[in-house]
Amino acid sequence: MKLVLLGAPGAGKGTQAKRIAENYNIPHISTGDIFRENIKNNTELGQKAKAYMDQGLLVPDELVLELIMERFKAPDCKNGYVLDGFPRTIPQAKALDEALEKNNDRIEYAINVDVDDDVIINRMSGRRACLNCGRTYHVKTLRPKVEDTCDYCNSKLVLRDDDKPETVKKRLDVYHKQTQPLLDYYNEKGILHNVDGTGEIDRIYNDIINILKA
Ligand code: AP5
Ligand code: MG
């Protein structure tokens, strides 16, 4: 199964992608997580990406495409994947479709996790992230068992550098201008599904699973 999760920053893409990936035994591929991993390891790619990410801007398409095409070569992608945070621009979506078409393949589902901007701004200030395994928590709605510690890998949880309120506003702006047009792109292909991304995390997950089972 190959699916794309769409949605604004903080819509819950990562939260849902982890669960879908575990349920279907396919990898969760988050370009944001890959960039953060590179920043942590101070790679050349990480240094380039950080300059954009800290300002709430998108990393240039060439850098993203180079990275993702390499990731698709890994053996764990043979049965599909959940894409989270990619594609994020029309050129990225077209490049993905072209790469898949070469192998007579395609994206089967584009799922939009729909959340209003005001809810997002509230969520982001409470988010805590594990930079080791990519899981996210929330100080009010999704607390770890031990304070500031990841339930799965015991790493310390942090507030992401780009979760400052002024950067979140910029990211939302960039989302509406550069990423939202993907909703029409996938709608025209007949594979777009909208899910209400507010309310219980389990309910949202069930809505997604029902789409994938239908
Ligand atoms: P990326 O890491 O992809 O960030 P994002 O899209 O801004 O999304 P987030 O990870 O912030 O949110 P999410 O939707 O995963 O929400 P989460 O599940 O954590 O990208 C970061 C940066 O990298 C970009 O700004 C860009 O610079 C660069 N980049 C990455 N990919 C790129 C690309 N393809 N092209 C160019 N540049 C790229 O949930 C958020 C919070 O809400 C958590 O605390 C969670 O616990 C909580 N929560 C989740 N669901 C609920 C719920 N139902 N109710 C209450 N709280 C909830
Ligand atoms: Mg995420």
Coordinates of all heavy atoms in Angstrom, one line a residue, residues 13-14 30 33 36 84 127 136 160, ligand 2:
K13 N -0.2 14.4 11.3 CA 0.2 13.4 10.3 C 1.2 12.4 10.9 O 1.0 11.2 10.6 CB 1.0 14.2 9.1 CG 0.2 15.3 8.4 CD 1.0 15.9 7.3 CE 2.2 16.7 7.8 NZ 1.9 17.9 8.6
G14 N 2.1 12.9 11.6 CA 3.1 12.0 12.2 C 2.4 11.0 13.2 O 2.7 9.8 13.2
S30 N 9.0 10.1 6.9 CA 8.7 11.6 7.1 C 10.0 12.3 6.7 O 11.0 12.1 7.3 CB 8.4 11.8 8.6 OG 8.7 13.1 9.0
D33 N 11.3 14.2 9.6 CA 12.1 13.4 10.6 C 13.5 13.1 10.0 O 14.5 13.1 10.7 CB 11.5 12.0 10.8 CG 10.2 12.2 11.7 OD1 10.0 13.3 12.3 OD2 9.5 11.2 11.9
R36 N 15.6 16.2 10.4 CA 15.9 16.4 11.8 C 17.0 15.5 12.3 O 17.9 15.8 13.0 CB 14.7 16.3 12.8 CG 13.9 17.6 12.8 CD 12.7 17.5 13.8 NE 11.7 16.6 13.3 CZ 10.7 16.9 12.4 NH1 10.7 18.1 11.9 NH2 9.8 16.0 12.1
D84 N 4.7 11.1 4.9 CA 4.3 12.1 5.9 C 5.2 13.3 5.6 O 6.4 13.3 5.9 CB 4.4 11.5 7.3 CG 4.5 12.6 8.4 OD1 4.2 13.7 8.1 OD2 4.9 12.2 9.5
R127 N 3.5 20.5 22.0 CA 4.1 19.3 21.4 C 5.5 19.1 22.0 O 6.2 20.0 22.2 CB 4.2 19.4 19.9 CG 5.0 18.2 19.4 CD 4.8 18.0 17.9 NE 5.3 19.1 17.1 CZ 5.2 19.2 15.8 NH1 4.7 18.2 15.2 NH2 5.6 20.2 15.2
T136 N 5.7 11.7 18.6 CA 5.4 13.0 19.2 C 4.4 12.8 20.3 O 3.6 11.9 20.3 CB 4.8 14.0 18.2 OG1 3.8 13.4 17.5 CG2 5.9 14.5 17.2
R160 N 10.5 21.2 19.5 CA 11.2 21.4 18.3 C 11.5 22.9 18.0 O 10.8 23.7 18.4 CB 10.3 20.9 17.1 CG 10.6 19.5 16.7 CD 9.7 18.9 15.8 NE 9.3 19.7 14.6 CZ 8.4 19.3 13.7 NH1 7.9 18.1 13.7 NH2 8.1 20.1 12.7
Ligands
MG2 MG 5.4 15.4 11.8

